[in-house]
Structures are given as structure tokens and as C-alpha cells.
């Protein structure tokens, strides 16, 4: 199975900060990588697909990138509404696997 | 507007069965792979099952293979998850999602496995 190692598990940050969350894939997944945002008590929301593509309605301060087997989600200037849990997902092959999650919180 | 509405959750004893349903609307259901994803309390997301458009192909992780069965009724735009031999570790919120990049999710339904 493909393992997705997500870091950090917790990320304290201030409004206006530039923040980056990373997932490392244990095998080649190409660009079959998605990022989700989940707020307390809510369903996950797709933010990034194909590693670098912004999903519909997602603010442009969010971006995705890839460097080899490392995939990153970056928020260029943190806003209060971005405080949430974030998960990566590989859908290259079954079983699909999620990263363990990153809790983004105010410092 | 795409909508996915789960139902059928509740409290069930270990070893018993439960069937979840997901009613889809706002898109041509038969054109899309569909999936179930779960989240144990205070834990991360776990993919549980995917089904092809016709229902002829299904996919599961080892954690539920042989116990869970995903199915669909395209005429009713409905997705199902039959869960047998339930264990305490199956306690979670179960989400129905469109497996087209997991671009749409339902609101989730809680399943509690406890005696």
C-alpha cells in the first residue's frame, strides 16, 4: 500500500502568515494527489486536485505544488476562515490513502 | 446543485449488521464512480470503498474487505454500504462521496458499534 506521510501534525500560525503543509508519498503517485479542508463538524472540502489545480470556488491564496514525491499545500496569507484540518489523499491506486492530517490553528 | 444525503446510521452491537444509504441528486448518478469514506471520532479520514459506474467493479481496503459491501441502484440514484460483522473500530462518521476526485461529499452519518 502507498503510505502518505503528512507533516506537520499541528501548525500554529498567525493571520497573514504564509504556511505550507507537506505530504510525502512512499511510491510514485504522479499527480494523483488531492488536498482537503475540514472544519469542525463539517464534511471535507476539496481544495486542490491533480497536485496543483485549484478546485472550484477555492480562494487564490491556496496553491499546490510537487517536488518529486513531496507534495505541498501553501496558503500565501492566512485568514481566520482557513483555520481547519487539512488532509492529502492519493488516488493513484487502491487502496486510496489519506495523510494523517494537519491541524492549522491560531498562534 | 449536487446533493448527497446519507441515512441508516445508529447504534449497533458488535458482530451485527447495518446498511447505510446515500441518496444522490443534482447530477447524472450513473455516470460517476462513488465511494464511502469514514472518520473515527477525533481521528483522520479513511477510504472505505469505491464502486464503478455500473457496479461491476468494487474496491476495498483490507480493513473492511470481506465484511463490507458497496452497491448502487442507478435507477434510484442511490448508493449503499452493507456492513457485516461490525467491530468497535468501525465506529465512525461515514461519508458518501463522488469518486470523481472526491469533489462532493454528503453530510455524514454516525455509526456506533458498542454493546
Amino acid at each position: 500500500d502507498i503510505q502518505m506521510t503528512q507533516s506537520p501534525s499541528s501548525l500554529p500560525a498567525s493571520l497573514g502568515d504564509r504556511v505550507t503543509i507537506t505530504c510525502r508519498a512512499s511510491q510514485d503517485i504522479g499527480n494523483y494527489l488531492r488536498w482537503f479542508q475540514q472544519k469542525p463538524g463539517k464534511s471535507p472540502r476539496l481544495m486542490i486536485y491533480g497536485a496543483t489545480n485549484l478546485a472550484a470556488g477555492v480562494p487564490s491564496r491556496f496553491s499546490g505544488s510537487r517536488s518529486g514525491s513531496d507534495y505541498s499545500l501553501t496558503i500565501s496569507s492566512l485568514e481566520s476562515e482557513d483555520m481547519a484540518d487539512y488532509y492529502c489523499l492519493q488516488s493513484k491506486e487502491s487502496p486510496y490513502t489519506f495523510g494523517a492530517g494537519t491541524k492549522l490553528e491560531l498562534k | 446543485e449536487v446533493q448527497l444525503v446519507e441515512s441508516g446510521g445508529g447504534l449497533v452491537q458488535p458482530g451485527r449488521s447495518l446498511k447505510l444509504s446515500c441518496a444522490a441528486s443534482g447530477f447524472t448518478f450513473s455516470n460517476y464512480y462513488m465511494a464511502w469514506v469514514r472518520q473515527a471520532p477525533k481521528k483522520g479520514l479513511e477510504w472505505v470503498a469505491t464502486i464503478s459506474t455500473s457496479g461491476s467493479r468494487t474496491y476495498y481496503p483490507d480493513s473492511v474487505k470481506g465484511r463490507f459491501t458497496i452497491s448502487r441502484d442507478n435507477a434510484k440514484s442511490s448508493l449503499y454500504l452493507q456492513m457485516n460483522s461490525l467491530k468497535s473500530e468501525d465506529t465512525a462518521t461515514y461519508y458518501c462521496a463522488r469518486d470523481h476526485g472526491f469533489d462532493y461529499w454528503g453530510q455524514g452519518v454516525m455509526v456506533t458499534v458498542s454493546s
Side-chain angles (χ1 to χ4, degrees), chain A residues 1 34 36 38 41-46 49 85 87 89 91 94-100, chain B residues 37 39 43-47 50 59-62 95 99-103 105-108:
Chain A
D1 297 359
R34 292 174 172 84
F36 298 89
Q38 187 180 31
K42 299 294 187 181
S43 306
R45 174 192 179 190
L46 177 66
Y49 66 94
D85 295 331
Y87 297 91
L89 167 69
S91 55
S94 177
Y96 297 162
T97 43
F98 287 90
Chain B
V37 175
Q39 185 170 37
K43 299 294 185 182
L45 300 168
E46 180 186 16
W47 168 74
T50 285
Y59 309 87
Y60 308 92
D62 287 346
Y95 296 100
D99 190 353
H100 179 68
F102 292 87
D103 54 353
W105 297 62
Q107 83 286 354

Side-chain angles (χ1 to χ4, degrees), chain B residues 26-49:
Chain B
F27 65 103
T28 305
F29 181 74
S30 58
N31 287 352
Y32 291 87
Y33 277 48
M34 296 295 296
W36 290 95
V37 175
R38 68 183 179 184
Q39 185 170 37
K42 306 294 186 185
K43 299 294 185 182
L45 300 168
E46 180 186 16
W47 168 74
V48 170

Side-chain angles (χ1 to χ4, degrees), chain A residues 1 3 8 16 18 22 34 38 48 50-51 62 65 70 72-73 96-97 104-105:
Chain A
D1 297 359
Q3 307 303 317
R18 179 184 181 89
T22 298
R34 292 174 172 84
Q38 187 180 31
I48 300 286
F62 288 86
S65 63
D70 290 339
S72 296
L73 172 70
Y96 297 162
T97 43
L104 185 53
E105 51 197 1

